[in-house]
Each structure stands twice: as C-alpha cells, then as structure tokens.
Amino acid sequence: MDKELVLVIDFGGQYNQLVARRVRENNVYCEIYSYRTPIDQIKAMNPKGIILTGGPASCYEEGAASCDKELFEMGVPVLGLCYGAQLMSLVLGGNVEKAPVREYGHTALKVDTSSPIFEGVSENTTCWMSHNDYISKIAPGFKAIATTEACPYAAIANDDEKLYGFQYHPEVLHTPEGTKMLGNFLYNVCECAGDWKMDSFVQEQIGLIREKVGNGKVLCALSGGVDSSVAAVLLSKAVGKQLTCVFVDHGLLRKDEGDQVEAVFGPDGPYDLNFIRVNAAERYYVKLAGISEPERKRKIIGEEFIRVFEEEAKKIGRVDFLVQGTIYPDVVESGLGGESAVIKSHHNVGGLPEHVDFKEIIEPLRNLFKDEVRKVGLELGIPDQLVFRQPFPGPGLGIRIIGDVSAEKVKMVQDSDAIYREEIEAAANEYAYEAAEAAGVKIDREKPDHALLRSYWPSWMPDQYFAALTNMRSVGVMGDERTYDFAVALRAVKTVDFMTAESAQIPYDILMKVMNRIINEVRGVNRVLYDLTSKPPGTVELE
Ligand code: GLN
C-alpha cells in the first residue's frame, strides 16, 4: 500500500502520542517509532516527513538518546520538537547547554511569519514550554524564526535542507496555534496530500481483510465495548458469515451489559453475523479467587479470554483468524511502540499468552486512536449511542475492584456503578433539555436526538465515570448498629484523549444524591469517596 507516512521518532517525551494525533488530525497518517529504530529501516519506510519528539534527557550527556546524522541528510523534511530540536542542533554542529533561564508553561512567542512553517500564524502568539536546556548556538545553515524573552532560538529553520526545530511543544493545546504550525510542516514543507480519512480507511481495511482471510473462518472477540464492536462490524462487512463473534460474559461486566450486547449483536439485532454468548462468570471467579496483584489479575483475565475462545473455536471447527479490537494507545502503552515505559499490560496486547490456537490475529484498529475508531464506527453505520459509549477496559470490573475479586464484590460495584451512571446521566440530560430550551432548540423528551442532547450537556459532564470498589473496610453506623463494610470510590474524569485527564467537577448535590442512594441501596457498602486524582499521576482506572 502506497500511502503517505510521517514518522514520529520517540525520545521518551510525555506528549508523544499527542504529536501523532495532531498529525492525523491534519489528515496525514503517521506512526510512532523508537529512536533506536535503525536508519535503514527508517529509509525503507520512505516517509514524507519525520518529527523528532521531546524527551527527558539532556542530549549532550553521555549515553543520552540520540539519532544518526544521516537522518538529516536523506532529503526528507525533519521537524524537531524540544529535545528533538536540541538534538538536531547538536548533531549538526550547533551547541546545547543548560539554559540560564528555564521556561515552563505558557510563554509569549514572537514569530517570523514569512517562514513557510508559520504561514497564517499570528506574529505574537503563545507557546507551551517545558525545558531545562536550550540551544545556545545554532548549527551552520540555520536561522532563528521565533524567539521568546528567554530563548533566542525558540524556533529554528534551515529552509534549504527542510530542517526545522521548535523549542516549545506545538502538540499540546496550550500552544493555541500549534496544530496550524504542524499542519504547515506537513503541507508546506513535506508537501503531503492529506489523504488519511476514515472513509478511505474503511474501504481499504475491508479490501485488506478480504485478501488476508480468503475463505477462512474468523472468530471475533466481542466485549461490547466501542473498540471490539467496531472491529466486529468491520469484519462482518468484509467477510459476512465467515465471521463468528464470541462474546464472553466473564461476570465482570457492568450491570445488565451482557443482555445489552446480546440485544445489539445477537439474532434479533441489525447485523448479519454468527453470535455466541458464553457465560463464563463462575470460571473467572474461581481463577481470580484470592488474587490481588493487579498485573496478575490482568494476565489471568486475558489468558482465560483466550482459553475460552480456543474452546469455542474448536466447537466451530477450523478457525484461522482471531480478531481483536486493539487500538493504538494499547499498543504504545504496552511498551510495544515508541519509548514509553510499560504502565499496564493491556489484556489483548501484552497479556496475550504464547500458546494461541489460531493461525493469525487480526487487529484492524491497531493503528487508530479512540476518536478515529469512533469515526470508523459512525462511518460503518453503528448506532450513535454505542459508538459514544464510555470506554470500558477489557478486564472489566476485575480492575475496578481493588484487591481480590468475588461474586459479592462484583455485585456491589455493579449496583453502585449503575446508580452513579443513572444519576449523572439524568442530571446531565435534564440540564441539556433546559439549556436547549433556553436557546430556543426543541428536543423531544420521548425520542431525543442523542447527539443533539449531548451537545447541550453541562461542562462538568465527565468523559468517563464509574464506581470502583476499594479494598478498604471501615466502621460505620446504620440503624443504630455498627457496620464494618466496604468503601466505594467514584471516579469521573474530563479528558480529550485519555492520555491526560482531570477529575470532573460534578456538582456537589448530585454527588450527595449518588452517595445516598449507594449507601441505602447497595448492601455491603457503608462509605462513598470521590477520587480527585488527575492523570498523571493517577491513571483513569484504579488498577
Ligand atoms: N530534557 C530536555 C530539556 O530539559 C528536553 C525537554 C523536552 O523535550 N520537553 O530541555
């Protein structure tokens, strides 16, 4: 396939996935590779452009992450961001030192708008800085094209060689014109055509899948979450009834979710596929009994998944391919792409056991970010409500119960979570109906247009929210009697891309109502806590 590719070379910076997302938002396909990737491999990929990311090291130090000088001599445009800009300067004969003034946060930037990379950018703009070092001397052939008060080389250019460097981070939203600058690099410098669009992705994937599968049999691991649902529908469009979807109800789903999934993908739903529901809750509870270490729980759940599939596959007969809804952040977070440390192993990536009874695994969404998966879902005609469902981790409630898992605990967290979701949604919808009415927009309460309704949700509405069960028990008093029960933690975050997140500021009265209902309605829970932690340092899930 001859598609435009931009490479993001990862030096371990915090915002590296954002760099890739911004490139794709500009309709250019890109992938992240470690700085350790050999230069020949980079050449063989024939990129239209290369972006070097930020990184924690100081490039002049012994053993710091580096790159081959040849990278800048291939005739391929290169843009260095922060560490990348520093490294480019150092490798090409400039100098980098500890900066006399470190800059962190919003910083005023004065820009030379005659540079192709700053076309359409305001002369006085703002950028996001995060650096200790700076370029003290530029390499031969370079000139300054932007400055800050403390930084004479906030942006540098060698137009003849198409080499550019920014000391700041254009990929974060705190650099308001950053996406435009990256777009300028892609279109004005790399001369990309910008043909990365979701409709072409769907057509391309259907073709590829057909070619790969031939008349083989395919088994899809369906969890009912957005990713695996989109993967399943994509596969069913490509190979129809050659596909069997196996939905493992591992007893770690949200309340009533198993039945909801069956209603959509089962025989009464709109899709023409083979659907098998396996009720495996007991089996999981036995395997998980007494296990409290998060990584072990994830591994056990992932492994059991595969075992159940193997068994189903044997019943179906020869099965050649297994489909999974792995997406790009899973791959990168599992330490398989780029430089990021292993934070958690995702059950369908790092948790995959060595012995798998299938010829091959197909992961059609492996290179997509979440918002891209949603676009594909809409493109495929999947109902809006399913496409915009909250993300739910593969290991399910298994990792929303801190410590060991049991049927009783699952029930507690399911019931608490259902109450929480019900109240938040009701409050947000009520707010939306009123806001819409105030704006003169009529939304039918009986049969609301969900997309329209969502657009009037309050600003506090979390992007993801759920209840988790802590393994803390504490003393309480209910009906004059001593209780010694569990504490439920409510989590709610605002996030654009799930790489960073902040705790959502849900109005207190709504939280109080949720607390009240949980204590009154859920047996075994006598305390409700609200998790204020952002990501980083926390993760969205608790384990
Ligand atoms: N570590 C380098 C510095 O402190 C680069 C930082 C970065 O890439 N954000 O300047």
Side-chain angles (χ1 to χ4, degrees), residues 256-289:
D256 299 329
E257 196 169 28
D259 297 339
Q260 289 162 6
V261 171
E262 188 167 345
V264 176
F265 288 97
D268 301 330
Y271 302 110
D272 186 29
L273 43 79
N274 299 306
F275 177 81
I276 298 173
R277 174 173 176 176
V278 188
N279 291 315
E282 273 319 306
R283 197 170 156 167
Y284 273 87
Y285 297 159
V286 169
K287 286 264 169 183
L288 287 169

PDB file of all heavy atoms in Angstrom, residues 256-289:
ATOM      1  N   ASP A 256     -26.240  -5.485  33.751  1.00  0.00           N
ATOM      2  CA  ASP A 256     -27.110  -5.768  32.593  1.00  0.00           C
ATOM      3  C   ASP A 256     -26.411  -5.656  31.241  1.00  0.00           C
ATOM      4  O   ASP A 256     -27.054  -5.709  30.201  1.00  0.00           O
ATOM      5  CB  ASP A 256     -28.342  -4.818  32.548  1.00  0.00           C
ATOM      6  CG  ASP A 256     -29.190  -4.974  33.787  1.00  0.00           C
ATOM      7  OD1 ASP A 256     -29.229  -6.093  34.346  1.00  0.00           O
ATOM      8  OD2 ASP A 256     -29.795  -3.971  34.204  1.00  0.00           O
ATOM      9  N   GLU A 257     -25.109  -5.495  31.242  1.00  0.00           N
ATOM     10  CA  GLU A 257     -24.430  -5.248  29.979  1.00  0.00           C
ATOM     11  C   GLU A 257     -24.466  -6.448  29.041  1.00  0.00           C
ATOM     12  O   GLU A 257     -24.574  -6.302  27.825  1.00  0.00           O
ATOM     13  CB  GLU A 257     -22.984  -4.840  30.252  1.00  0.00           C
ATOM     14  CG  GLU A 257     -22.321  -4.205  29.064  1.00  0.00           C
ATOM     15  CD  GLU A 257     -20.995  -3.574  29.427  1.00  0.00           C
ATOM     16  OE1 GLU A 257     -20.353  -4.036  30.387  1.00  0.00           O
ATOM     17  OE2 GLU A 257     -20.605  -2.640  28.721  1.00  0.00           O
ATOM     18  N   GLY A 258     -24.365  -7.633  29.620  1.00  0.00           N
ATOM     19  CA  GLY A 258     -24.401  -8.842  28.800  1.00  0.00           C
ATOM     20  C   GLY A 258     -25.651  -8.884  27.932  1.00  0.00           C
ATOM     21  O   GLY A 258     -25.581  -9.155  26.727  1.00  0.00           O
ATOM     22  N   ASP A 259     -26.781  -8.579  28.533  1.00  0.00           N
ATOM     23  CA  ASP A 259     -28.039  -8.617  27.782  1.00  0.00           C
ATOM     24  C   ASP A 259     -28.086  -7.514  26.731  1.00  0.00           C
ATOM     25  O   ASP A 259     -28.619  -7.702  25.634  1.00  0.00           O
ATOM     26  CB  ASP A 259     -29.229  -8.476  28.739  1.00  0.00           C
ATOM     27  CG  ASP A 259     -29.286  -9.650  29.711  1.00  0.00           C
ATOM     28  OD1 ASP A 259     -28.686 -10.708  29.394  1.00  0.00           O
ATOM     29  OD2 ASP A 259     -29.905  -9.502  30.788  1.00  0.00           O
ATOM     30  N   GLN A 260     -27.492  -6.365  27.080  1.00  0.00           N
ATOM     31  CA  GLN A 260     -27.496  -5.264  26.112  1.00  0.00           C
ATOM     32  C   GLN A 260     -26.658  -5.617  24.877  1.00  0.00           C
ATOM     33  O   GLN A 260     -27.048  -5.334  23.745  1.00  0.00           O
ATOM     34  CB  GLN A 260     -26.943  -3.988  26.755  1.00  0.00           C
ATOM     35  CG  GLN A 260     -27.901  -3.386  27.789  1.00  0.00           C
ATOM     36  CD  GLN A 260     -27.211  -2.410  28.730  1.00  0.00           C
ATOM     37  OE1 GLN A 260     -26.035  -2.087  28.562  1.00  0.00           O
ATOM     38  NE2 GLN A 260     -27.944  -1.944  29.729  1.00  0.00           N
ATOM     39  N   VAL A 261     -25.519  -6.253  25.112  1.00  0.00           N
ATOM     40  CA  VAL A 261     -24.664  -6.641  23.989  1.00  0.00           C
ATOM     41  C   VAL A 261     -25.406  -7.649  23.119  1.00  0.00           C
ATOM     42  O   VAL A 261     -25.418  -7.557  21.889  1.00  0.00           O
ATOM     43  CB  VAL A 261     -23.327  -7.229  24.493  1.00  0.00           C
ATOM     44  CG1 VAL A 261     -22.538  -7.835  23.337  1.00  0.00           C
ATOM     45  CG2 VAL A 261     -22.508  -6.160  25.186  1.00  0.00           C
ATOM     46  N   GLU A 262     -26.057  -8.591  23.777  1.00  0.00           N
ATOM     47  CA  GLU A 262     -26.790  -9.606  23.021  1.00  0.00           C
ATOM     48  C   GLU A 262     -27.903  -8.971  22.183  1.00  0.00           C
ATOM     49  O   GLU A 262     -28.171  -9.379  21.059  1.00  0.00           O
ATOM     50  CB  GLU A 262     -27.369 -10.652  23.977  1.00  0.00           C
ATOM     51  CG  GLU A 262     -27.959 -11.825  23.227  1.00  0.00           C
ATOM     52  CD  GLU A 262     -28.260 -13.024  24.124  1.00  0.00           C
ATOM     53  OE1 GLU A 262     -27.769 -13.079  25.265  1.00  0.00           O
ATOM     54  OE2 GLU A 262     -28.996 -13.895  23.646  1.00  0.00           O
ATOM     55  N   ALA A 263     -28.537  -7.942  22.741  1.00  0.00           N
ATOM     56  CA  ALA A 263     -29.624  -7.296  22.008  1.00  0.00           C
ATOM     57  C   ALA A 263     -29.116  -6.652  20.720  1.00  0.00           C
ATOM     58  O   ALA A 263     -29.805  -6.651  19.700  1.00  0.00           O
ATOM     59  CB  ALA A 263     -30.294  -6.252  22.893  1.00  0.00           C
ATOM     60  N   VAL A 264     -27.882  -6.125  20.745  1.00  0.00           N
ATOM     61  CA  VAL A 264     -27.348  -5.472  19.546  1.00  0.00           C
ATOM     62  C   VAL A 264     -26.775  -6.482  18.551  1.00  0.00           C
ATOM     63  O   VAL A 264     -27.081  -6.441  17.354  1.00  0.00           O
ATOM     64  CB  VAL A 264     -26.247  -4.437  19.910  1.00  0.00           C
ATOM     65  CG1 VAL A 264     -25.624  -3.836  18.655  1.00  0.00           C
ATOM     66  CG2 VAL A 264     -26.827  -3.342  20.785  1.00  0.00           C
ATOM     67  N   PHE A 265     -25.960  -7.418  19.054  1.00  0.00           N
ATOM     68  CA  PHE A 265     -25.238  -8.307  18.130  1.00  0.00           C
ATOM     69  C   PHE A 265     -25.889  -9.678  17.955  1.00  0.00           C
ATOM     70  O   PHE A 265     -25.524 -10.423  17.075  1.00  0.00           O
ATOM     71  CB  PHE A 265     -23.790  -8.480  18.596  1.00  0.00           C
ATOM     72  CG  PHE A 265     -22.970  -7.247  18.392  1.00  0.00           C
ATOM     73  CD1 PHE A 265     -22.766  -6.337  19.420  1.00  0.00           C
ATOM     74  CD2 PHE A 265     -22.433  -6.963  17.143  1.00  0.00           C
ATOM     75  CE1 PHE A 265     -22.031  -5.182  19.222  1.00  0.00           C
ATOM     76  CE2 PHE A 265     -21.700  -5.816  16.928  1.00  0.00           C
ATOM     77  CZ  PHE A 265     -21.504  -4.920  17.981  1.00  0.00           C
ATOM     78  N   GLY A 266     -26.833  -9.999  18.798  1.00  0.00           N
ATOM     79  CA  GLY A 266     -27.488 -11.311  18.720  1.00  0.00           C
ATOM     80  C   GLY A 266     -28.441 -11.405  17.541  1.00  0.00           C
ATOM     81  O   GLY A 266     -28.545 -10.480  16.739  1.00  0.00           O
ATOM     82  N   PRO A 267     -29.133 -12.529  17.442  1.00  0.00           N
ATOM     83  CA  PRO A 267     -30.006 -12.797  16.289  1.00  0.00           C
ATOM     84  C   PRO A 267     -31.092 -11.742  16.081  1.00  0.00           C
ATOM     85  O   PRO A 267     -31.548 -11.548  14.954  1.00  0.00           O
ATOM     86  CB  PRO A 267     -30.607 -14.163  16.607  1.00  0.00           C
ATOM     87  CG  PRO A 267     -30.271 -14.452  18.039  1.00  0.00           C
ATOM     88  CD  PRO A 267     -29.081 -13.656  18.373  1.00  0.00           C
ATOM     89  N   ASP A 268     -31.493 -11.047  17.150  1.00  0.00           N
ATOM     90  CA  ASP A 268     -32.540 -10.041  16.989  1.00  0.00           C
ATOM     91  C   ASP A 268     -31.990  -8.667  16.629  1.00  0.00           C
ATOM     92  O   ASP A 268     -32.748  -7.721  16.425  1.00  0.00           O
ATOM     93  CB  ASP A 268     -33.369  -9.927  18.283  1.00  0.00           C
ATOM     94  CG  ASP A 268     -34.017 -11.262  18.645  1.00  0.00           C
ATOM     95  OD1 ASP A 268     -34.307 -12.032  17.706  1.00  0.00           O
ATOM     96  OD2 ASP A 268     -34.180 -11.535  19.851  1.00  0.00           O
ATOM     97  N   GLY A 269     -30.673  -8.554  16.586  1.00  0.00           N
ATOM     98  CA  GLY A 269     -30.047  -7.266  16.281  1.00  0.00           C
ATOM     99  C   GLY A 269     -29.955  -7.017  14.782  1.00  0.00           C
ATOM    100  O   GLY A 269     -30.368  -7.859  13.978  1.00  0.00           O
ATOM    101  N   PRO A 270     -29.401  -5.858  14.389  1.00  0.00           N
ATOM    102  CA  PRO A 270     -29.377  -5.466  12.978  1.00  0.00           C
ATOM    103  C   PRO A 270     -28.281  -6.126  12.122  1.00  0.00           C
ATOM    104  O   PRO A 270     -28.274  -5.956  10.908  1.00  0.00           O
ATOM    105  CB  PRO A 270     -29.134  -3.960  13.056  1.00  0.00           C
ATOM    106  CG  PRO A 270     -28.420  -3.753  14.346  1.00  0.00           C
ATOM    107  CD  PRO A 270     -28.900  -4.818  15.279  1.00  0.00           C
ATOM    108  N   TYR A 271     -27.368  -6.858  12.754  1.00  0.00           N
ATOM    109  CA  TYR A 271     -26.233  -7.357  11.961  1.00  0.00           C
ATOM    110  C   TYR A 271     -26.378  -8.823  11.596  1.00  0.00           C
ATOM    111  O   TYR A 271     -26.901  -9.626  12.359  1.00  0.00           O
ATOM    112  CB  TYR A 271     -24.919  -7.137  12.721  1.00  0.00           C
ATOM    113  CG  TYR A 271     -24.717  -5.696  13.047  1.00  0.00           C
ATOM    114  CD1 TYR A 271     -24.809  -5.246  14.361  1.00  0.00           C
ATOM    115  CD2 TYR A 271     -24.489  -4.762  12.034  1.00  0.00           C
ATOM    116  CE1 TYR A 271     -24.663  -3.900  14.659  1.00  0.00           C
ATOM    117  CE2 TYR A 271     -24.351  -3.428  12.325  1.00  0.00           C
ATOM    118  CZ  TYR A 271     -24.437  -2.994  13.639  1.00  0.00           C
ATOM    119  OH  TYR A 271     -24.307  -1.666  13.925  1.00  0.00           O
ATOM    120  N   ASP A 272     -25.832  -9.126  10.436  1.00  0.00           N
ATOM    121  CA  ASP A 272     -25.922 -10.480   9.910  1.00  0.00           C
ATOM    122  C   ASP A 272     -24.626 -11.221  10.233  1.00  0.00           C
ATOM    123  O   ASP A 272     -23.736 -11.337   9.412  1.00  0.00           O
ATOM    124  CB  ASP A 272     -26.131 -10.394   8.393  1.00  0.00           C
ATOM    125  CG  ASP A 272     -26.391 -11.762   7.810  1.00  0.00           C
ATOM    126  OD1 ASP A 272     -26.930 -12.628   8.520  1.00  0.00           O
ATOM    127  OD2 ASP A 272     -26.028 -11.961   6.633  1.00  0.00           O
ATOM    128  N   LEU A 273     -24.513 -11.681  11.465  1.00  0.00           N
ATOM    129  CA  LEU A 273     -23.294 -12.402  11.831  1.00  0.00           C
ATOM    130  C   LEU A 273     -23.646 -13.536  12.786  1.00  0.00           C
ATOM    131  O   LEU A 273     -24.747 -13.591  13.319  1.00  0.00           O
ATOM    132  CB  LEU A 273     -22.270 -11.445  12.459  1.00  0.00           C
ATOM    133  CG  LEU A 273     -22.733 -10.403  13.483  1.00  0.00           C
ATOM    134  CD1 LEU A 273     -22.932 -11.015  14.851  1.00  0.00           C
ATOM    135  CD2 LEU A 273     -21.704  -9.291  13.574  1.00  0.00           C
ATOM    136  N   ASN A 274     -22.711 -14.468  12.935  1.00  0.00           N
ATOM    137  CA  ASN A 274     -22.917 -15.543  13.900  1.00  0.00           C
ATOM    138  C   ASN A 274     -22.519 -15.041  15.268  1.00  0.00           C
ATOM    139  O   ASN A 274     -21.430 -14.498  15.446  1.00  0.00           O
ATOM    140  CB  ASN A 274     -22.059 -16.752  13.520  1.00  0.00           C
ATOM    141  CG  ASN A 274     -22.434 -17.294  12.156  1.00  0.00           C
ATOM    142  OD1 ASN A 274     -23.601 -17.591  11.912  1.00  0.00           O
ATOM    143  ND2 ASN A 274     -21.467 -17.395  11.262  1.00  0.00           N
ATOM    144  N   PHE A 275     -23.383 -15.246  16.236  1.00  0.00           N
ATOM    145  CA  PHE A 275     -23.137 -14.699  17.571  1.00  0.00           C
ATOM    146  C   PHE A 275     -23.255 -15.789  18.631  1.00  0.00           C
ATOM    147  O   PHE A 275     -24.243 -16.528  18.665  1.00  0.00           O
ATOM    148  CB  PHE A 275     -24.153 -13.589  17.848  1.00  0.00           C
ATOM    149  CG  PHE A 275     -24.061 -12.984  19.234  1.00  0.00           C
ATOM    150  CD1 PHE A 275     -23.116 -12.014  19.530  1.00  0.00           C
ATOM    151  CD2 PHE A 275     -24.921 -13.404  20.247  1.00  0.00           C
ATOM    152  CE1 PHE A 275     -23.038 -11.456  20.805  1.00  0.00           C
ATOM    153  CE2 PHE A 275     -24.848 -12.848  21.527  1.00  0.00           C
ATOM    154  CZ  PHE A 275     -23.904 -11.873  21.797  1.00  0.00           C
ATOM    155  N   ILE A 276     -22.228 -15.918  19.440  1.00  0.00           N
ATOM    156  CA  ILE A 276     -22.273 -16.889  20.536  1.00  0.00           C
ATOM    157  C   ILE A 276     -21.985 -16.172  21.843  1.00  0.00           C
ATOM    158  O   ILE A 276     -20.995 -15.439  21.960  1.00  0.00           O
ATOM    159  CB  ILE A 276     -21.198 -17.989  20.349  1.00  0.00           C
ATOM    160  CG1 ILE A 276     -21.462 -18.771  19.060  1.00  0.00           C
ATOM    161  CG2 ILE A 276     -21.174 -18.940  21.550  1.00  0.00           C
ATOM    162  CD1 ILE A 276     -20.365 -19.743  18.722  1.00  0.00           C
ATOM    163  N   ARG A 277     -22.851 -16.373  22.809  1.00  0.00           N
ATOM    164  CA  ARG A 277     -22.590 -15.799  24.132  1.00  0.00           C
ATOM    165  C   ARG A 277     -22.152 -16.922  25.064  1.00  0.00           C
ATOM    166  O   ARG A 277     -22.835 -17.941  25.178  1.00  0.00           O
ATOM    167  CB  ARG A 277     -23.848 -15.138  24.657  1.00  0.00           C
ATOM    168  CG  ARG A 277     -23.710 -14.639  26.087  1.00  0.00           C
ATOM    169  CD  ARG A 277     -24.935 -13.840  26.486  1.00  0.00           C
ATOM    170  NE  ARG A 277     -24.880 -13.417  27.879  1.00  0.00           N
ATOM    171  CZ  ARG A 277     -25.798 -12.638  28.447  1.00  0.00           C
ATOM    172  NH1 ARG A 277     -26.820 -12.206  27.728  1.00  0.00           N
ATOM    173  NH2 ARG A 277     -25.702 -12.297  29.723  1.00  0.00           N
ATOM    174  N   VAL A 278     -21.004 -16.738  25.698  1.00  0.00           N
ATOM    175  CA  VAL A 278     -20.515 -17.739  26.640  1.00  0.00           C
ATOM    176  C   VAL A 278     -20.613 -17.165  28.047  1.00  0.00           C
ATOM    177  O   VAL A 278     -20.013 -16.131  28.340  1.00  0.00           O
ATOM    178  CB  VAL A 278     -19.033 -18.086  26.362  1.00  0.00           C
ATOM    179  CG1 VAL A 278     -18.598 -19.274  27.209  1.00  0.00           C
ATOM    180  CG2 VAL A 278     -18.801 -18.363  24.895  1.00  0.00           C
ATOM    181  N   ASN A 279     -21.374 -17.816  28.877  1.00  0.00           N
ATOM    182  CA  ASN A 279     -21.476 -17.349  30.256  1.00  0.00           C
ATOM    183  C   ASN A 279     -20.385 -18.010  31.092  1.00  0.00           C
ATOM    184  O   ASN A 279     -20.490 -19.164  31.450  1.00  0.00           O
ATOM    185  CB  ASN A 279     -22.859 -17.648  30.818  1.00  0.00           C
ATOM    186  CG  ASN A 279     -23.906 -16.789  30.137  1.00  0.00           C
ATOM    187  OD1 ASN A 279     -23.714 -15.581  29.951  1.00  0.00           O
ATOM    188  ND2 ASN A 279     -25.001 -17.400  29.725  1.00  0.00           N
ATOM    189  N   ALA A 280     -19.331 -17.256  31.342  1.00  0.00           N
ATOM    190  CA  ALA A 280     -18.145 -17.857  31.956  1.00  0.00           C
ATOM    191  C   ALA A 280     -17.846 -17.287  33.343  1.00  0.00           C
ATOM    192  O   ALA A 280     -16.743 -17.431  33.869  1.00  0.00           O
ATOM    193  CB  ALA A 280     -16.946 -17.649  31.041  1.00  0.00           C
ATOM    194  N   ALA A 281     -18.825 -16.617  33.947  1.00  0.00           N
ATOM    195  CA  ALA A 281     -18.583 -15.926  35.216  1.00  0.00           C
ATOM    196  C   ALA A 281     -17.977 -16.842  36.280  1.00  0.00           C
ATOM    197  O   ALA A 281     -16.938 -16.507  36.867  1.00  0.00           O
ATOM    198  CB  ALA A 281     -19.882 -15.307  35.728  1.00  0.00           C
ATOM    199  N   GLU A 282     -18.583 -17.995  36.475  1.00  0.00           N
ATOM    200  CA  GLU A 282     -18.112 -18.906  37.519  1.00  0.00           C
ATOM    201  C   GLU A 282     -16.636 -19.219  37.362  1.00  0.00           C
ATOM    202  O   GLU A 282     -15.842 -19.170  38.291  1.00  0.00           O
ATOM    203  CB  GLU A 282     -18.920 -20.207  37.476  1.00  0.00           C
ATOM    204  CG  GLU A 282     -20.201 -20.148  38.288  1.00  0.00           C
ATOM    205  CD  GLU A 282     -20.013 -19.420  39.619  1.00  0.00           C
ATOM    206  OE1 GLU A 282     -19.097 -19.830  40.385  1.00  0.00           O
ATOM    207  OE2 GLU A 282     -20.731 -18.438  39.888  1.00  0.00           O
ATOM    208  N   ARG A 283     -16.313 -19.586  36.122  1.00  0.00           N
ATOM    209  CA  ARG A 283     -14.959 -19.942  35.776  1.00  0.00           C
ATOM    210  C   ARG A 283     -13.951 -18.840  36.136  1.00  0.00           C
ATOM    211  O   ARG A 283     -12.871 -19.094  36.657  1.00  0.00           O
ATOM    212  CB  ARG A 283     -15.009 -20.148  34.258  1.00  0.00           C
ATOM    213  CG  ARG A 283     -13.897 -20.863  33.688  1.00  0.00           C
ATOM    214  CD  ARG A 283     -14.252 -21.169  32.250  1.00  0.00           C
ATOM    215  NE  ARG A 283     -12.975 -21.337  31.569  1.00  0.00           N
ATOM    216  CZ  ARG A 283     -12.854 -21.850  30.377  1.00  0.00           C
ATOM    217  NH1 ARG A 283     -13.918 -22.238  29.707  1.00  0.00           N
ATOM    218  NH2 ARG A 283     -11.670 -21.971  29.838  1.00  0.00           N
ATOM    219  N   TYR A 284     -14.339 -17.605  35.866  1.00  0.00           N
ATOM    220  CA  TYR A 284     -13.474 -16.467  36.184  1.00  0.00           C
ATOM    221  C   TYR A 284     -13.331 -16.258  37.685  1.00  0.00           C
ATOM    222  O   TYR A 284     -12.239 -15.996  38.183  1.00  0.00           O
ATOM    223  CB  TYR A 284     -14.022 -15.189  35.539  1.00  0.00           C
ATOM    224  CG  TYR A 284     -13.522 -14.993  34.134  1.00  0.00           C
ATOM    225  CD1 TYR A 284     -14.176 -15.565  33.053  1.00  0.00           C
ATOM    226  CD2 TYR A 284     -12.373 -14.249  33.890  1.00  0.00           C
ATOM    227  CE1 TYR A 284     -13.709 -15.399  31.768  1.00  0.00           C
ATOM    228  CE2 TYR A 284     -11.895 -14.079  32.616  1.00  0.00           C
ATOM    229  CZ  TYR A 284     -12.566 -14.651  31.546  1.00  0.00           C
ATOM    230  OH  TYR A 284     -12.099 -14.488  30.289  1.00  0.00           O
ATOM    231  N   TYR A 285     -14.447 -16.360  38.382  1.00  0.00           N
ATOM    232  CA  TYR A 285     -14.383 -16.120  39.827  1.00  0.00           C
ATOM    233  C   TYR A 285     -13.475 -17.141  40.490  1.00  0.00           C
ATOM    234  O   TYR A 285     -12.727 -16.816  41.414  1.00  0.00           O
ATOM    235  CB  TYR A 285     -15.792 -16.162  40.457  1.00  0.00           C
ATOM    236  CG  TYR A 285     -16.730 -15.077  39.952  1.00  0.00           C
ATOM    237  CD1 TYR A 285     -18.114 -15.223  40.060  1.00  0.00           C
ATOM    238  CD2 TYR A 285     -16.235 -13.905  39.378  1.00  0.00           C
ATOM    239  CE1 TYR A 285     -18.981 -14.240  39.600  1.00  0.00           C
ATOM    240  CE2 TYR A 285     -17.097 -12.927  38.911  1.00  0.00           C
ATOM    241  CZ  TYR A 285     -18.465 -13.106  39.016  1.00  0.00           C
ATOM    242  OH  TYR A 285     -19.309 -12.129  38.544  1.00  0.00           O
ATOM    243  N   VAL A 286     -13.516 -18.391  40.015  1.00  0.00           N
ATOM    244  CA  VAL A 286     -12.655 -19.429  40.587  1.00  0.00           C
ATOM    245  C   VAL A 286     -11.189 -19.080  40.337  1.00  0.00           C
ATOM    246  O   VAL A 286     -10.361 -19.087  41.239  1.00  0.00           O
ATOM    247  CB  VAL A 286     -13.014 -20.820  39.991  1.00  0.00           C
ATOM    248  CG1 VAL A 286     -11.960 -21.845  40.366  1.00  0.00           C
ATOM    249  CG2 VAL A 286     -14.399 -21.249  40.466  1.00  0.00           C
ATOM    250  N   LYS A 287     -10.884 -18.718  39.088  1.00  0.00           N
ATOM    251  CA  LYS A 287      -9.492 -18.386  38.740  1.00  0.00           C
ATOM    252  C   LYS A 287      -8.971 -17.174  39.509  1.00  0.00           C
ATOM    253  O   LYS A 287      -7.788 -17.064  39.812  1.00  0.00           O
ATOM    254  CB  LYS A 287      -9.379 -18.057  37.246  1.00  0.00           C
ATOM    255  CG  LYS A 287      -9.458 -19.250  36.350  1.00  0.00           C
ATOM    256  CD  LYS A 287      -8.071 -19.736  35.971  1.00  0.00           C
ATOM    257  CE  LYS A 287      -8.249 -21.083  35.295  1.00  0.00           C
ATOM    258  NZ  LYS A 287      -7.077 -21.767  34.913  1.00  0.00           N
ATOM    259  N   LEU A 288      -9.870 -16.231  39.774  1.00  0.00           N
ATOM    260  CA  LEU A 288      -9.427 -14.969  40.380  1.00  0.00           C
ATOM    261  C   LEU A 288      -9.461 -14.980  41.905  1.00  0.00           C
ATOM    262  O   LEU A 288      -8.942 -14.058  42.545  1.00  0.00           O
ATOM    263  CB  LEU A 288     -10.311 -13.816  39.877  1.00  0.00           C
ATOM    264  CG  LEU A 288     -10.083 -13.387  38.431  1.00  0.00           C
ATOM    265  CD1 LEU A 288     -11.185 -12.441  37.977  1.00  0.00           C
ATOM    266  CD2 LEU A 288      -8.725 -12.707  38.275  1.00  0.00           C
ATOM    267  N   ALA A 289     -10.031 -16.026  42.471  1.00  0.00           N
ATOM    268  CA  ALA A 289     -10.196 -16.061  43.930  1.00  0.00           C
ATOM    269  C   ALA A 289      -8.850 -15.871  44.642  1.00  0.00           C
ATOM    270  O   ALA A 289      -7.866 -16.544  44.328  1.00  0.00           O
ATOM    271  CB  ALA A 289     -10.843 -17.372  44.351  1.00  0.00           C
TER     272      ALA A 289
END
